[in-house]
C-alpha cells in the first residue's frame, strides 16, 4: 500500500492512498474460491461449480465487497500507523477503481485536537446548601391539600369568587376582522364543564372573567389565543365564548391528619412530615448540584482554548438551528432573541455550538486520561430506570436497547458526564455555603 500525505490545514488531514491491484485480485479470487466451494447450483455437484460460472454470477458483488473491505482496512492502517484520532467518520473519495488496476482513493479527515488539561485545583466554586424547615414543609403540604381538594355545592346564592369552581356550558367562535363571529370551532364547545375561577389550564384571561358570575348568568368572554397555541389554526386569533353558569361549587381542603397521611402512603402525620422533609432535601441538593455543575462547566470553558473540529461544530449547529427555525415558525423564540436578524442569530448559536463541542471534548479527554468509565451495572440501572417510564412495555424497552447501540450510548453519555464532573469537583476548591431554600430555588429558576 502506498500512502501520500497531502498538504494539511489546522486539524484537517488528507491522504492519497493506493492499494495494489495484485492485493485486490488475491482477495477477490480467494473470496470467489471459497464461495465456489460452498455453492449449490442445479446441474452441478456441491462445491464443483466451475470458477468461470461463479465469477460470472457473483464477480460483481464480490468485487464490491472487496472494495469496501480494502478501503476500510487501508484507512484503519493509515490512522493506526500515524496515531491519528479522527473527530468524525473520515470521508472517502474514489479516484480510480477498475478491473485489473490499482485502487486509488483520497482520505479526508479532521483530527481531535491536542487538549491541555487545566489546573483543576485552581478552580474555586461555591456549593450552596439549603435545609428545609417547618415553613417549607407546611408550604408543600398546603400544595398537596390543594391537589387533593374536593368540592361541595354552595348552598347560598352568591357570585363566584377566585378559587371557586363554576360549572358552565360554553361555545367558542373566532372573531372576524369586521367584528362578526365565525361558526363554532372544533373543541370550543362543552357542557357541564367544571372550571376553577382564576385557575390555570384555559386560554389566558378566560377563567379570570368568570369571577362575579352566579348560576343562571350568561356572559360573553373575549380572549385571544396565544401565538404559540398548539392548534395552529387558532394561534394568535381573537375569540368570543358564550358562557352560561349552571352551578357553583367551592373547594373543600382536607385536614392534614393521619387519614390524610395514609392517603399519601405513610402511617401518620409525623411520618408524612419526615418524608416531605427528605424529599425536599433531595430536591434542594439536586438544585445545588445543578448550580455548582453549571459554574464548573463555565470555569472549564474559560480554561479551554483549543481549536475545535469544524465538522463537529457544523453538525452541532445544524441540530441547534433546526430547533431555532421550528421555534421561529411556532412563534416560540426566546425573548432575548426576538428582534435579532438571521445572521446575528446564526452567529450566536454557532458560538453556542462551538462552546458545547469544546466542553464535550474537554470532558471526554478528562475521562479518557483518567480512565473514567461507565460500568455495565450503571448502564443496566439506567435502562431499568428508562423502562420504568413505560409501564407494561418494559420488555420492549430492553429489546430496543439490545438492538440499538446508539440508544445505549445516549444513556451512557450523561452518566459519563456526571462522573467526570464529580472527578473534577473532587480536585477543585469547593466551599460550602448555607443559603435559605427560597434563595436556592429562586436562583435555580432564573438560571
Amino acid at each position: 500500500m502506498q500512502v501520500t500525505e497531502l498538504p494539511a490545514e489546522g486539524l484537517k488531514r488528507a491522504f492519497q492512498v493506493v492499494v495494489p491491484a495484485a492485493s485486490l485480485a488475491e482477495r477477490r479470487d480467494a473470496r470467489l474460491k471459497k464461495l465456489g466451494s460452498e455453492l449449490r447450483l442445479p446441474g452441478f455437484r456441491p462445491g464443483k461449480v466451475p470458477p468461470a460460472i461463479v465469477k460470472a454470477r457473483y464477480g460483481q458483488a464480490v468485487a464490491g465487497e472487496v472494495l469496501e473491505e480494502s478501503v476500510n482496512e487501508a484507512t484503519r492502517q493509515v490512522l493506526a500507523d500515524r496515531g491519528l484520532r479522527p473527530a468524525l467518520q473520515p470521508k472517502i473519495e474514489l479516484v480510480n477503481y477498475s478491473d485489473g488496476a490499482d485502487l486509488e482513493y483520497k482520505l479526508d479527515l479532521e483530527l481531535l485536537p491536542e487538549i491541555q488539561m487545566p489546573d483543576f485545583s485552581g478552580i474555586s466554586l461555591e456549593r450552596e446548601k439549603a435545609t428545609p424547615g417547618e415553613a417549607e414543609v407546611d408550604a408543600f403540604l398546603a400544595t398537596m391539600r390543594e391537589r387533593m381538594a374536593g368540592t361541595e355545592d354552595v348552598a347560598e346564592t352568591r357570585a363566584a369568587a377566585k378559587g371557586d369552581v363554576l360549572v358552565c356550558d360554553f361555545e367558542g367562535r373566532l372573531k372576524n376582522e369586521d367584528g362578526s363571529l365565525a361558526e363554532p370551532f372544533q373543541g370550543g364547545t362543552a357542557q357541564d364543564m367544571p372550571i376553577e375561577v382564576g385557575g390555570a389550564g384555559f386560554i389566558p384571561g378566560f377563567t379570570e372573567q368568570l369571577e362575579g358570575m352566579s348560576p343562571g348568568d350568561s356572559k360573553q368572554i373575549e380572549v385571544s389565543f396565544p401565538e404559540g397555541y398548539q392548534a395552529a389554526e387558532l394561534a394568535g386569533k381573537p375569540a368570543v365564548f358564550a358562557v352560561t353558569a349552571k352551578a357553583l361549587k367551592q373547594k373543600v381542603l382536607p385536614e392534614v391528619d393521619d387519614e390524610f397521611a395514609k392517603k399519601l402512603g405513610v402511617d401518620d402525620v409525623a411520618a408524612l412530615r419526615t418524608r416531605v422533609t427528605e424529599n425536599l432535601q433531595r430536591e434542594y441538593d439536586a438544585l445545588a448540584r445543578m448550580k455548582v455543575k453549571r459554574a464548573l462547566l463555565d470555569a472549564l470553558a474559560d480554561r479551554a482554548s483549543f481549536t475545535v473540529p469544524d465538522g463537529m461544530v457544523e453538525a452541532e449547529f445544524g441540530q441547534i438551528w433546526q430547533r431555532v427555525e421550528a421555534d421561529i415558525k411556532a412563534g416560540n423564540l426566546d425573548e432575548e432573541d426576538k428582534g435579532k436578524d438571521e445572521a446575528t442569530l446564526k452567529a450566536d448559536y454557532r458560538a453556542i455550538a462551538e462552546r458545547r463541542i469544546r466542553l464535550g471534548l474537554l470532558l471526554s479527554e478528562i475521562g479518557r486520561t483518567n480512565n473514567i468509565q461507565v460500568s455495565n451495572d450503571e448502564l443496566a440501572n439506567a435502562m431499568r430506570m428508562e423502562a420504568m417510564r413505560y409501564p407494561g412495555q418494559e420488555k420492549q424497552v430492553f429489546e430496543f436497547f439490545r438492538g440499538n447501540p446508539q440508544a445505549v450510548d445516549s444513556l451512557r453519555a450523561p452518566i459519563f458526564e456526571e462522573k467526570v464532573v464529580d472527578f473534577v469537583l473532587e480536585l477543585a476548591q469547593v466551599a460550602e455555603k448555607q443559603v435559605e431554600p427560597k434563595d436556592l430555588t429562586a436562583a435555580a429558576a432564573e438560571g
Side-chain angles (χ1 to χ4, degrees):
M1 181 176 69
Q2 179 183 342
V3 181
T4 304
E5 185 165 358
L6 304 176
E9 180 184 349
L11 295 173
K12 296 178 180 179
R13 297 290 184 274
F15 300 90
Q16 201 80 14
V17 183
V18 178
V19 180
S23 174
L24 299 173
E26 181 181 352
R27 179 173 291 188
R28 183 175 61 247
D29 292 345
R31 180 68 60 83
L32 287 170
K33 183 177 180 181
K34 184 175 185 297
L35 182 61
S37 68
E38 301 169 347
L39 200 59
R40 294 174 179 270
L41 288 179
F44 300 97
R45 286 180 296 164
K48 298 297 183 178
V49 180
I53 294 179
V54 177
K55 184 175 182 179
R57 286 201 174 198
Y58 302 103
Q60 188 172 355
V62 168
E65 293 175 3
V66 168
L67 170 63
E68 184 177 0
E69 287 179 2
S70 299
V71 168
N72 290 339
E73 184 178 297
T75 299
R76 284 194 295 268
Q77 187 174 337
V78 170
L79 300 180
D81 289 349
R82 290 159 179 77
L84 302 179
R85 297 169 59 211
L88 297 168
Q89 184 71 23
K91 294 180 181 178
I92 305 295
E93 179 186 348
L94 283 179
V95 176
N96 182 47
Y97 177 65
S98 57
D99 192 22
D102 293 342
L103 163 63
E104 184 179 354
Y105 71 93
K106 184 183 177 187
L107 172 63
D108 286 292
L109 66 150
E110 273 193 291
L111 302 180
L112 289 172
E114 292 294 328
I115 299 175
Q116 191 72 29
M117 286 294 105
D119 177 13
F120 302 133
S121 65
I123 299 176
S124 297
L125 303 168
E126 278 188 344
R127 189 198 306 268
E128 296 180 345
K129 177 71 175 179
T131 304
E134 294 298 314
E136 286 75 37
V137 175
D138 289 341
F140 184 89
L141 291 176
T143 300
M144 294 305 300
R145 291 180 72 200
E146 285 285 341
R147 291 179 182 175
M148 298 173 65
T151 59
E152 63 180 13
D153 293 333
V154 175
E156 73 273 20
T157 301
R158 66 171 176 83
K162 186 176 181 180
D164 286 338
V165 175
L166 200 61
V167 180
C168 303
D169 293 346
F170 61 79
E171 182 180 74
R173 300 169 184 260
L174 292 180
K175 191 173 184 180
N176 298 319
E177 292 184 3
D178 61 2
S180 63
L181 299 181
E183 292 298 312
F185 56 83
Q186 187 175 2
T189 301
Q191 286 80 40
D192 298 322
M193 172 71 75
I195 306 172
E196 181 181 345
V197 178
F202 276 73
I203 306 166
F206 183 98
T207 62
E208 292 82 353
Q209 296 183 57
L210 297 176
E211 190 170 354
M213 292 186 71
S214 299
D217 289 350
S218 294
K219 185 177 184 180
Q220 299 282 326
I221 290 180
E222 296 195 24
V223 291
S224 289
F225 286 93
E227 290 293 338
Y229 193 68
Q230 57 189 3
E233 68 275 11
L234 302 177
K237 295 182 179 178
V240 177
F241 286 83
V243 180
T244 300
K246 301 176 73 175
L248 182 62
K249 298 177 180 290
Q250 61 187 6
K251 284 186 180 180
V252 179
L253 299 178
E255 293 297 323
V256 180
D257 52 20
D258 290 349
E259 191 63 31
F260 179 81
K262 288 175 182 176
K263 290 180 180 179
L264 292 172
V266 292
D267 293 334
D268 51 35
V269 173
L272 175 61
R273 295 187 72 87
T274 298
R275 175 175 288 186
V276 170
T277 301
E278 293 171 347
N279 289 342
L280 287 174
Q281 188 64 67
R282 281 192 290 271
E283 179 183 333
Y284 296 162
D285 291 346
L287 289 174
R289 160 76 178 195
M290 181 180 68
K291 287 189 66 179
V292 76
K293 176 183 175 181
R294 187 183 299 135
L296 173 64
L297 294 180
D298 287 342
L300 289 174
D302 292 340
R303 289 163 171 77
S305 57
F306 52 85
T307 303
V308 294
D310 290 336
M312 296 183 75
V313 174
E314 286 303 314
E316 180 69 18
F317 170 73
Q319 293 182 3
I320 294 173
W321 189 248
Q322 279 186 341
R323 293 193 291 269
V324 173
E325 286 185 315
D327 287 341
I328 293 173
K329 187 175 181 180
N332 293 332
L333 202 61
D334 290 342
E335 286 298 324
E336 62 186 59
D337 287 338
K338 290 180 179 177
K340 295 181 181 179
D341 58 34
E342 184 174 302
T344 302
L345 281 174
K346 283 187 173 180
D348 290 347
Y349 282 103
R350 186 169 276 104
I352 291 173
E354 184 173 331
R355 182 182 188 275
R356 286 184 184 177
I357 295 299
R358 183 173 284 109
L359 264 176
L361 289 174
L362 177 56
L363 292 176
S364 178
E365 187 65 8
I366 293 171
R368 188 182 73 87
T369 56
N370 293 282
N371 198 31
I372 298 172
Q373 298 179 2
V374 178
S375 69
N376 290 334
D377 287 344
E378 288 169 325
L379 266 181
N381 184 60
M383 289 182 197
R384 282 193 294 270
M385 296 295 291
E386 186 67 16
M388 288 172 61
R389 297 175 54 201
Y390 304 92
Q393 302 179 52
E394 292 85 352
K395 182 179 178 181
Q396 292 93 316
V397 172
F398 281 111
E399 289 176 351
F400 172 76
F401 282 119
R402 276 194 291 270
N404 293 271
Q406 288 184 334
V408 176
D409 287 340
S410 72
L411 297 179
R412 180 184 286 105
I415 301 172
F416 176 82
E417 179 175 298
E418 292 303 316
K419 295 183 76 168
V420 172
V421 166
D422 285 336
F423 173 82
V424 179
L425 286 175
E426 286 292 324
L427 300 176
Q429 304 298 315
V430 183
E432 193 166 282
K433 177 184 178 182
Q434 193 72 31
V435 298
E436 291 295 320
K438 60 182 177 63
D439 296 328
L440 175 62
T441 54
E446 292 173 3

